[in-house]
Amino acid sequence: MKLYMKYFSIHLKSIMEYKSSFILTCIGQFLVSFNVFLGIHFMFQRFSSVEGFTYAEVLLCFSVTLMEFTLAEAVARGFDGFGSIVRNGEFDRILVRPRGEILQVLGSRIEFSRIGRILQAVVMFVYGVTVSQVKWNLPKVLTVILMLAGGTAVFSGLFLIYASICFFTLEGLEFMNIFTDGAREYGKYPVCIYGKRVLQLCTFVVPYALIQYYPLLNLLDRGKPFYSLLPLAACLFPVPCLLLWKIGVRHYTSSGS
């Protein structure tokens, strides 16, 4: 942890050398997410609900999903660019250092500019809380915290899978964006609206529903009590992702660069 905080400090000092660029990038991140918010807003100008979910409830759903993805992207961005590390032979240097490979890759890139996107998510969440009929109490607050923790774990696991594939292909496979950036986009709405098969896939294969749909039902007083604990199960998702990473490391024979 001490080493990671050192990486954190180095990246922070680096971006502070160009404060104007950092601020403009944060504003850009905010505006990109704001466009998605406008899309939801204009749709609900025409339709009063989607599969029984109101405008405020959809905002709660999307804001939490956006925060989950953004937190994972901020801390696990090194995995997203792992293909270049393998191609350039930089992973050889990582292997000979007396620290874990995952920690070094995580520390190679920390995206502070995602603050703009998190701010957008917080604004949407606060607005959704204000206009929704949710009666907040301590269990529901804890549910949101578990959703954020579980969602960050799931998306970080997906970034880890993306990086692990690079050991075998030397290039990141673009189809993985369906599960990362794509999930952020279709996470605007509760997973159930995409049909039974998609809900099953997002429950038992890639557990988006455990960090989004089921806990959301509890927030809206429509679910079962144990739904609030499902994000804890989602926190186990990085375990098989880590096993794939270990297999990839054993398979690695250098890119020859």
Side-chain angles (χ1 to χ4, degrees):
M1 191 63 185
K2 184 178 180 180
L3 178 59
Y4 183 78
M5 293 308 298
K6 185 66 175 179
Y7 280 125
F8 186 93
S9 175
I10 291 171
H11 284 290
L12 182 60
K13 290 178 181 178
S14 175
I15 63 171
M16 286 298 103
E17 291 295 321
Y18 305 94
K19 295 182 179 63
S20 297
S21 175
F22 171 66
I23 292 172
L24 290 174
T25 303
C26 289
I27 293 174
Q29 291 287 331
F30 181 93
L31 293 177
V32 168
S33 299
F34 187 70
N35 286 335
V36 180
F37 163 74
L38 289 178
I40 297 174
H41 177 75
F42 290 134
M43 193 195 74
F44 276 95
Q45 293 295 305
R46 185 174 181 85
F47 304 100
S48 60
S49 65
V50 176
E51 290 289 330
F53 291 93
T54 65
Y55 176 52
E57 293 167 353
V58 167
L59 284 185
L60 286 177
C61 174
F62 179 48
S63 61
V64 173
T65 301
L66 184 61
M67 278 190 276
E68 294 167 348
F69 176 81
T70 305
L71 288 171
E73 190 181 35
V75 299
R77 190 65 172 176
F79 291 124
D80 194 34
F82 187 70
S84 62
I85 293 177
V86 172
R87 286 195 309 274
N88 297 333
E90 294 178 24
F91 192 67
D92 294 12
R93 290 190 296 175
I94 290 176
L95 287 174
V96 299
R97 292 170 181 164
R99 293 291 183 178
E101 308 96 24
I102 289 180
L103 177 62
Q104 294 183 64
V105 175
L106 285 175
S108 67
R109 191 171 179 182
I110 301 174
E111 292 285 358
F112 291 97
S113 61
R114 296 305 184 264
I115 291 174
R117 193 183 293 166
I118 291 179
L119 179 60
Q120 173 64 40
V122 170
V123 170
M124 284 194 297
F125 183 78
V126 171
Y127 179 73
V129 167
T130 303
V131 300
S132 69
Q133 302 300 315
V134 176
K135 297 180 181 178
W136 290 94
N137 51 36
L138 182 58
K140 290 185 178 181
V141 173
L142 292 176
T143 298
V144 174
I145 294 173
L146 289 177
M147 289 172 73
L148 293 176
T152 303
V154 168
F155 283 113
S156 296
L158 290 169
F159 284 123
L160 184 56
I161 291 175
Y162 178 87
S164 301
I165 293 174
C166 295
F167 287 120
F168 305 94
T169 63
L170 296 183
E171 292 281 352
L173 299 183
E174 292 301 318
F175 84 89
M176 283 298 299
N177 290 331
I178 297 173
F179 300 101
T180 53
D181 294 275
R184 180 192 66 198
E185 292 303 314
Y186 60 70
K188 292 183 292 189
Y189 304 100
V191 175
C192 65
I193 75 167
Y194 301 108
K196 181 180 178 181
R197 297 300 181 190
V198 174
L199 180 59
Q200 290 174 339
L201 175 71
C202 294
T203 300
F204 300 107
V205 182
V206 184
Y208 299 123
L210 304 187
I211 58 173
Q212 189 230 46
Y213 172 61
Y214 295 114
L216 178 68
L217 291 181
N218 260 18
L219 294 181
L220 303 178
D221 297 317
R222 301 178 194 172
K224 299 178 181 179
F226 73 90
Y227 283 178
S228 294
L229 300 177
L230 290 179
L232 291 176
C235 289
L236 298 175
F237 179 72
V239 174
C241 303
L242 182 59
L243 293 176
L244 179 61
W245 169 269
K246 293 295 185 182
I247 293 172
V249 171
R250 288 198 297 268
H251 176 273
Y252 180 70
T253 56
S254 182
S255 62
S257 176

